[in-house]
Amino acid sequence: MRNSNKIKQYLLEVTTRSPLRVGNGNEESIGVLLIDNHAFISGTSIAGLFNSFLLKKKKMQENQLLEEVYKEVSGEDLRNKKKESAIYFYDNYSKEQVTEKDLIYRDHLKIDGKLGSNSSGQLFGEYYVSKGKSFEIRFEVRGENLKEDYYNEICKCLQEFIYELEDGRITIGSKATFGFGKLKVKGCYLREFCLKDIEDFKDYINQKNICRDKLEKKDIKEFKGKYSEQEIKIIFKGYCEDGLIIKDGVKKSNDEKGDIIVSHKENNKYIIPSSSIKGVLRAYIYKIYRTLYPENGEEELIEFFGCKVNGKEGKKGRLIFEDCEINIKELPIYNRIKIDRFTGGVYSGSLFREEVITVDKNNPLEFVIKVIEKNEKILGLIILALRDMALGYLTIGSGNNVGYGRIKGISIEIQGYTSDNLKVQFKNNKLEGNVDEINKIIKSIKE
């Protein structure tokens, strides 16, 4: 078969729609890769993501053409010798400079893999680049020495990869299970050069960089592939009139009114971090699982929640949790006093204040969890935990001993499990809606 003698260039205008963390290998500093005060996404990072995408696609379809295409992209020939990849991914810098206000800091707890809860005294923090940073991601398929069908299949796979970037199934950097590294593709541009055409050949060799003005804009919806991993989305809505606290440090006070424990805020919005939602649900689900299956290990849960080995990322989970943004401009401040646990009396001069988040029914909280695989047992455990949270048995944040963090449920919706969405509403602590279907999923926990 003849070679294609073609080169296709792509340019994606993207904006980060969640925090971004691309590590610099130096955890003693901020740990985020910045070059000349710009966020940086290396071409090798994009190449690695595409190789992983292609490998999954190859396993799902199992055809010889994909086998050959994977070798051309990964740079391995039949004798396992390295050769130049058929795709060149360029390095990418954010258009905006990253200043101190663009770096957000979050506390995390190290999790005991066996217990599913936090390890004592294992608090640590990490920096991230806040969302809203713009990039122009460039890459090109170099098919001058590729067979025509190889070239066409690579372009097809690459365009499916672009669709999944926009869809949020593929993310950049670390902490993907916290919903980080998502991109919004604002524009997709491409051009194909036929090297047999003298004008195309001159245009290609005379250009200094991939320029958007010389490319044609495409609709990403056309790139959707037929084969992709099933994704189930769970949306929980609730409200909290009694208040909740997601601590973000202590603001020192110069008056006698006491210091203020402030709630977590990023980009001028109060949020419940995805890590807080994941931590609460994981600990509760582990308890349920160990109660039902005391003789079993936690391998099935680790498969979905992920785990770390020797302090490093060991296994990426199959559950993705997203931040919950709260549309409140100002929070009420409540006065409290510290209690001596030994005497039961009040500490002298220990007045302090807390910012308390209150959420009414008309502007509810929304927790979004994505399950990247259809597993009824895991799905049932998540629904069971969310149901107990909606009924007030499971709290989130601090201050649960004084009544904070108890959420009243409005609804749980499941998208992608069946052709029709399943939804139940909470009315006077009773469920209405697709109750039978939801109960069937919950019963699968014991099967």
Side-chain angles (χ1 to χ4, degrees):
M1 182 177 290
R2 61 188 177 86
N3 289 343
S4 69
N5 286 311
K6 295 175 183 177
I7 292 176
K8 186 174 285 190
Q9 294 182 335
Y10 294 83
L11 185 148
L12 306 180
E13 289 183 332
V14 304
T15 303
T16 55
R17 53 190 175 102
S18 62
L20 174 69
R21 179 177 171 83
V22 178
N24 64 3
N26 184 8
E27 298 302 326
E28 294 183 359
S29 64
I30 62 172
V32 176
L33 182 58
L34 301 176
I35 296 181
D36 294 330
N37 294 322
H38 289 266
F40 178 73
I41 302 174
S42 69
T44 55
S45 296
I46 307 293
L49 289 171
F50 181 65
N51 284 350
S52 297
F53 165 79
L54 203 56
L55 186 61
K56 288 179 182 178
K57 185 179 176 69
K58 181 169 70 77
K59 289 179 179 178
M60 291 174 69
Q61 296 188 32
E62 296 182 352
N63 66 56
Q64 188 59 35
L65 180 57
L66 274 176
E67 288 281 353
E68 298 301 325
V69 163
Y70 179 74
K71 292 171 186 174
E72 294 292 343
V73 171
S74 63
E76 282 193 9
D77 64 12
L78 295 174
R79 294 166 294 178
N80 293 321
K81 292 184 178 180
K82 291 292 180 181
K83 61 179 181 179
E84 185 177 354
S85 173
I87 307 179
Y88 186 84
F89 294 89
Y90 292 81
D91 291 338
N92 311 279
Y93 301 84
S94 63
K95 292 182 179 179
E96 307 86 356
Q97 284 196 338
V98 176
T99 62
E100 186 176 349
K101 68 177 182 179
D102 296 313
L103 293 172
I104 57 177
Y105 181 84
R106 293 192 184 183
D107 286 322
H108 298 283
L109 290 167
K110 290 186 178 179
I111 301 300
D112 187 314
K114 293 183 178 180
L115 299 177
S117 58
N118 61 290
S119 301
S120 177
Q122 296 294 309
L123 179 68
F124 69 99
E126 290 180 327
Y127 283 93
Y128 307 90
V129 178
S130 61
K131 66 180 181 180
K133 299 297 173 285
S134 303
F135 294 83
E136 286 189 347
I137 297 178
R138 298 175 172 86
F139 38 86
E140 64 182 33
V141 181
R142 296 174 174 175
E144 62 270 29
N145 296 315
L146 281 178
K147 294 178 181 179
E148 186 79 32
D149 57 344
Y150 288 11
Y151 170 81
N152 291 333
E153 186 67 20
I154 289 174
C155 292
K156 177 186 172 185
C157 292
L158 196 53
Q159 289 169 185
E160 291 176 7
F161 172 76
I162 293 170
Y163 179 87
E164 297 214 354
L165 268 178
E166 157 65 18
D167 195 48
R169 291 171 180 263
I170 297 174
T171 58
I172 305 292
S174 62
K175 306 299 180 185
T177 57
F178 292 161
F180 290 3
K182 290 185 177 181
L183 301 180
K184 172 67 177 177
V185 181
K186 303 178 76 173
C188 175
Y189 306 84
L190 61 86
R191 179 181 176 181
E192 187 174 68
F193 297 86
C194 179
L195 301 183
K196 292 180 180 180
D197 183 285
I198 188 65
E199 295 301 323
D200 273 7
F201 182 76
K202 285 181 179 179
D203 285 348
Y204 179 74
I205 62 173
N206 288 330
Q207 67 177 354
K208 294 182 179 179
N209 202 345
I210 299 177
C211 181
R212 188 189 70 178
D213 296 338
K214 296 183 179 181
L215 307 181
E216 179 185 356
K217 189 171 184 179
K218 291 291 184 178
D219 185 354
I220 298 177
K221 293 179 181 179
E222 300 174 1
F223 296 168
K224 185 176 182 180
K226 295 181 180 179
Y227 300 94
S228 61
E229 291 181 299
Q230 183 176 7
E231 181 180 272
I232 299 171
K233 183 186 288 187
I234 305 169
I235 302 172
F236 169 83
K237 291 184 180 181
Y239 61 102
C240 186
E241 295 176 326
D242 296 329
L244 61 90
I245 299 173
I246 306 296
K247 288 185 180 179
D248 194 32
V250 177
K251 182 179 179 181
K252 295 294 182 181
S253 175
N254 295 322
D255 54 37
E256 295 180 354
K257 294 182 179 180
D259 299 335
I260 302 176
I261 296 176
V262 295
S263 290
H264 194 79
K265 194 174 186 180
E266 294 175 8
N267 296 323
N268 296 318
K269 285 188 176 181
Y270 292 98
I271 71 165
I272 302 175
S274 51
S275 56
S276 297
I277 300 169
K278 179 180 180 180
V280 168
L281 294 179
R282 172 169 47 193
Y284 196 74
I285 287 171
Y286 266 70
K287 289 179 182 178
I288 297 172
Y289 190 88
R290 287 197 300 272
T291 301
L292 295 175
Y293 305 101
E295 303 300 324
N296 290 8
E298 283 82 19
E299 288 77 10
E300 190 170 14
L301 295 180
I302 290 173
E303 177 73 23
F304 280 84
F305 282 100
C307 68
K308 287 189 175 182
V309 178
N310 297 325
K312 298 181 179 179
E313 197 70 30
K315 185 175 181 60
K316 182 179 176 181
R318 309 285 289 169
L319 300 176
I320 298 174
F321 295 79
E322 296 187 3
D323 290 340
C324 174
E325 293 188 350
I326 304 170
N327 296 316
I328 299 175
K329 293 183 178 179
E330 294 183 2
L331 298 183
I333 297 176
Y334 291 83
N335 295 321
R336 290 184 61 191
I337 52 175
K338 293 182 180 179
I339 302 297
D340 187 325
R341 294 184 180 181
F342 181 71
T343 65
V346 178
Y347 271 120
S348 177
S350 295
L351 179 69
F352 68 98
R353 295 176 288 174
E354 294 174 326
E355 280 187 340
V356 180
I357 300 171
T358 55
V359 182
D360 61 40
K361 195 172 184 178
N362 297 321
N363 190 23
L365 301 168
E366 185 174 292
F367 297 167
V368 178
I369 306 165
K370 294 180 181 179
V371 186
I372 314 298
E373 187 179 308
K374 187 173 182 179
N375 183 303
E376 291 188 342
K377 184 181 289 186
I378 295 297
L379 193 60
L381 287 166
I382 295 171
I383 294 170
L384 189 59
L386 290 174
R387 187 199 67 180
D388 285 359
M389 178 179 283
L391 297 174
Y393 302 133
L394 179 61
T395 62
I396 190 166
S398 61
N400 62 309
N401 58 327
V402 291
Y404 293 154
R406 284 178 169 80
I407 297 175
K408 295 179 181 179
I410 296 175
S411 65
I412 299 175
E413 183 176 357
I414 304 173
Q415 300 177 358
Y417 179 74
T418 61
S419 56
D420 298 322
N421 295 339
L422 301 178
K423 188 174 182 178
V424 291
Q425 294 89 23
F426 293 88
K427 300 286 180 67
N428 298 320
N429 289 338
K430 293 183 179 180
L431 293 176
E432 297 180 358
N434 302 116
V435 179
D436 292 339
E437 292 87 343
I438 294 295
N439 284 337
K440 184 178 179 181
I441 298 173
I442 293 175
K443 288 178 181 178
S444 67
I445 297 173
K446 296 181 180 179
E447 295 176 359

